[in-house]
Amino acid sequence: MGQAPVVYGQSTRPPRGDYSRASEDYTCPQDYASYTEADHDTYRRLYERQRALLPGLASQAFIDALPSLGASDRIPRFEEVNERLYKATGWELVGVPGLIPEVPFFTLLANRKFPVTDWIRKPEEFEYIVEPDIFHDLFGHVPLLFNPVFADYVQRYGQGGLKAQGLGSCEMLSRLYWYTIEFGLIREAGQLRAYGAGILSSSGELAYSVQSPEPQRIPLQLERTMRTRYKIDTYQQTYFVIDSFEQLFEMTAADFAPIYERLQGLPEFGADERGAVGV
C-alpha cells in the first residue's frame, strides 16, 4: 500500500525513510535484518557518548529509567523493549518510516503507542541529523515512557492533539510538545535538569540547555508556551521549566478550546524573544 512522505519545516532534500512499507496508520514492522554491523556500531557509540554525559545534566527519572531500554551495544528489537514497557505503563513501540502526519501521530499516542523511526543515521551524520532517527526516538523518548506519570501525560497530549486538529489549533499545541517532550527542563532538588528527548539525545545541547548563561529559562506557563515559536536547526534560545511531571499531567486536564480561542488574537513570541523573567 504505502504512504506519502511527510515534511515538517524546510529541507533541501526529500524526507528519508521507505514510506512504501507504511500501512494506513503509517506504522511498519521494524526491519531488523536490514541493520548492518556499521548501524549497530553507530548506535553503540551514540549510546555510550550520551550515557556518559547524563550525570548532573539529565533528569534523575530519566537516568533511573534508561537501563529499561535494554541493549546498549546494538540496536534494540522493539518487541523486546515492548515486553518490559507494556508491563510498566501499558505503552508499546511501533515502527514508522520517519515523520508522520499529525492525525496518525496523535492517534497512536492517544492509544499508548509510541512511533519510533526504524532507520539510523549514517556515520557521517554522527554529530548532527536533521530528522529524528531510531537513536533519537529510542534513547531520547522511550526511557521516560517507563515513568507512569510522564507516560500518562504523553497519552493525554495525544488525546488533546486530536481535539486540537478538529479546532485548527495544532500549531499552538505542537509548541507544547516541542517545549516539554522534546526540549523540556525540570527542577529537581533545586537543580535544573533536562528531560526533553531533543536535549537528551544531543551531545552539545545537553550541557548548553542546563549550564549556559545564554538562553532564557521560563517557568512553564501554558499560554506563554503556546505563543512561542521555535527553531529546528539551532540550539533553543528559550526553555520552559517544570517542577514535576505531575505538573504536566495536571495542566493538560484543562479544556484547551477556550485557550486556543483566546490566543488567536494575541501576538506570538519569537523563539529567541525575551518576554519573561527567567529562572
Side-chain angles (χ1 to χ4, degrees):
M1 182 191 305
Q3 297 285 1
V6 178
V7 179
Y8 291 116
Q10 296 182 351
S11 177
T12 57
R13 60 173 177 76
R16 195 179 312 182
D18 181 5
Y19 285 79
S20 68
R21 299 171 51 226
S23 59
E24 187 175 349
D25 65 356
Y26 276 85
T27 63
C28 60
Q30 183 186 23
D31 187 6
Y32 200 83
S34 69
Y35 299 133
T36 65
E37 286 305 312
D39 291 335
H40 289 296
D41 184 63
T42 296
Y43 184 89
R44 177 189 60 78
R45 292 188 296 122
L46 285 166
Y47 190 108
E48 288 181 353
R49 180 177 69 172
Q50 288 304 116
R51 180 170 55 185
L53 296 174
L54 298 178
L57 298 173
S59 163
Q60 191 60 46
F62 178 86
I63 293 174
D64 291 345
L66 184 60
S68 297
L69 198 56
S72 61
D73 60 344
R74 58 183 172 83
I75 297 171
R77 295 180 183 270
F78 293 171
E79 61 264 28
E80 293 178 359
V81 178
N82 284 342
E83 290 180 6
R84 298 183 292 272
L85 183 57
Y86 192 83
K87 290 177 182 177
T89 59
W91 274 81
E92 60 181 313
L93 312 182
V94 292
V96 290
L99 295 171
I100 65 176
E102 290 169 336
V103 171
F105 178 71
F106 293 144
T107 301
L108 289 171
L109 296 187
N111 288 283
R112 298 179 88 88
K113 297 178 187 294
F114 194 84
V116 176
T117 300
D118 67 349
W119 53 262
I120 193 164
R121 69 194 72 182
K122 301 299 182 184
E124 60 269 22
E125 300 169 309
F126 189 84
E127 295 298 333
Y128 176 74
I129 188 168
V130 176
E131 298 170 61
D133 68 345
I134 193 172
F135 177 75
H136 166 81
D137 284 345
L138 279 179
F139 186 95
H141 284 287
V142 174
L144 282 180
L145 290 177
F146 284 87
N147 179 286
V149 178
F150 190 81
D152 286 348
Y153 166 65
V154 178
Q155 180 185 31
R156 185 173 275 179
Y157 179 89
Q159 294 166 338
L162 293 173
K163 296 177 183 176
Q165 199 277 334
L167 296 171
S169 300
C170 282
E171 176 61 29
M172 282 185 276
L173 191 66
S174 72
R175 293 168 182 170
L176 181 63
Y177 187 95
W178 186 265
Y179 284 117
T180 60
I181 295 172
E182 286 289 358
F183 289 94
L185 296 179
I186 187 170
R187 191 170 290 281
E188 291 181 343
Q191 301 296 317
L192 280 179
R193 297 290 185 262
Y195 72 91
I199 303 174
L200 293 166
S201 60
S202 167
S203 62
E205 192 155 3
L206 181 54
Y208 169 86
S209 67
V210 174
Q211 297 176 334
S212 173
E214 180 179 341
Q216 65 175 337
R217 302 173 182 89
I218 304 172
L220 183 69
Q221 304 161 353
L222 190 58
E223 295 190 14
R224 173 67 164 85
T225 305
M226 288 185 174
R227 291 172 60 192
T228 304
R229 297 191 296 271
Y230 58 82
K231 296 180 179 180
I232 65 171
D233 55 355
T234 64
Y235 290 171
Q236 303 305 302
Q237 292 301 302
T238 300
Y239 296 97
F240 291 92
V241 184
I242 63 171
D243 295 316
S244 67
F245 296 142
E246 285 81 5
Q247 177 188 355
L248 286 178
F249 182 69
E250 293 167 2
M251 178 183 65
T252 48
D255 179 8
F256 286 1
I259 299 174
Y260 297 145
E261 185 175 357
R262 183 165 58 252
L263 296 187
Q264 290 291 348
L266 296 178
E268 297 180 333
F269 291 93
D272 55 357
E273 183 175 342
R274 302 279 165 165
V277 177
V279 295

